[in-house]
Amino acid sequence: MVAIAIWYYVKKSDRIEEKENQIKIEKFLVDHKSHVPTRYSYADIKKMTNGFRKKLGEGGFGSVFSGKLPSNGVPVAIKVLKGSKGNGDDFVNEVGTIGRIHHINVVRLLGFSAEGGKRALIYEDMPNSSLEKFITSKDRSSHNTASFDWMKLRNIITGIAKGIEYLHQGCDQRILHFDIKPHNILLDHDFNPKISDFGLAKLCSKEDSLISMTAARGTIGYIAPEVFNGNFGTVSYKSDVYSFGMLVLEVIGARKESAVASANSEVYFPELTYKSLVQGEELDLELGDDGDAQIAKRLAIVALWCIQWYPVNRPSMKAVVRMLEGPSESFIMPPNPFASTTHTEPTATASS
């Protein structure tokens, strides 16, 4: 009897909590009516996915299904969220951020559904999946490897940088993503990168140099030191810059395994790259010619600027884009990112 009473109490509490979450979501949708995309019923979602027939992927958030818009048959990817996960904040973050913006390097949210505990998000279709798929050896067929020459990698990384720059400076409010990593970079049919998954994002005024946080957010291996160490009062847009730098180091192959594969990987592989560049040694990468070597060196130097220990020493994303697209002759080697006790003033090239 006691077990039954406990089960009944838990189920009742879950129902009350879910009702409160739905009220919160509905209030958000009413308050932001002019900024959110098209709303669909859950029955519409079921029709779009043909009864959830083709699953594209699955994670802690829920499942992604292939579908088509009812109005024009355009292919879409539909993320069906797990009703028992979280308190609706991820859903609100997604709709409240990318629901109001449009940029070539940010995935487009085309619609959503919210009925009780059933929630879904409708995105433009990304036929080439995520960047993570193309930088893990087990997924690299000869065809995919040929598609990813060094110029293509540079273009992809530059596109990601432009997307983050837009989030930081191009919107009415600054959007801090807090989970930049290869898995959250999607690729369209032309391999143009699109930043996705804004479930951890925060909005803040462009005038706010620092924001407050109550807990760390992000993925181990890509989280900036100030976030990982719990200095939540000193977190800024420079945390995204650090995550971008770690992503770049992984993409160029300077690290032999995923950033999250080992507890020490986020320290060892970037440090090895830094030492090689300082000592004038060739990077241990697959390089076709001198042009490839120059691109790899440029990307590595930019990444090492981005992962500086102190946020003030990291460049803005505007400066990162300039470094990626400008002449390589003006490049300056950054300070050692791993000498955390040494505080150095950033150069004009890096900070502006």
Side-chain angles (χ1 to χ4, degrees), residues 93-94 96-98 101 163-180 195-213 217-218 226-227 232-241 243 317:
N93 281 344
E94 289 271 350
T97 51
I98 56 175
I101 62 178
I164 302 173
E165 179 196 7
Y166 175 77
L167 297 177
H168 289 178
Q169 297 295 338
C171 307
D172 293 336
Q173 284 187 294
R174 178 173 284 156
I175 300 174
L176 310 186
H177 188 279
F178 282 117
D179 203 16
I180 298 294
I195 300 168
S196 72
D197 201 338
F198 286 72
L200 299 180
K202 284 184 73 75
L203 290 169
C204 66
S205 168
K206 293 178 185 177
E207 287 71 41
D208 293 338
S209 57
L210 300 174
I211 65 168
S212 60
M213 292 172 58
R217 52 181 66 197
E226 65 273 14
V227 178
F232 303 135
T234 61
V235 175
S236 72
Y237 67 95
K238 294 293 186 72
S239 299
D240 280 350
V241 176
S243 300
M317 291 310 299

Side-chain angles (χ1 to χ4, degrees), residues 111-127:
F112 68 93
S113 176
E115 290 184 6
K118 297 177 179 179
R119 302 173 195 128
L121 298 161
I122 305 168
Y123 302 96
E124 59 180 321
D125 184 46
M126 294 287 109

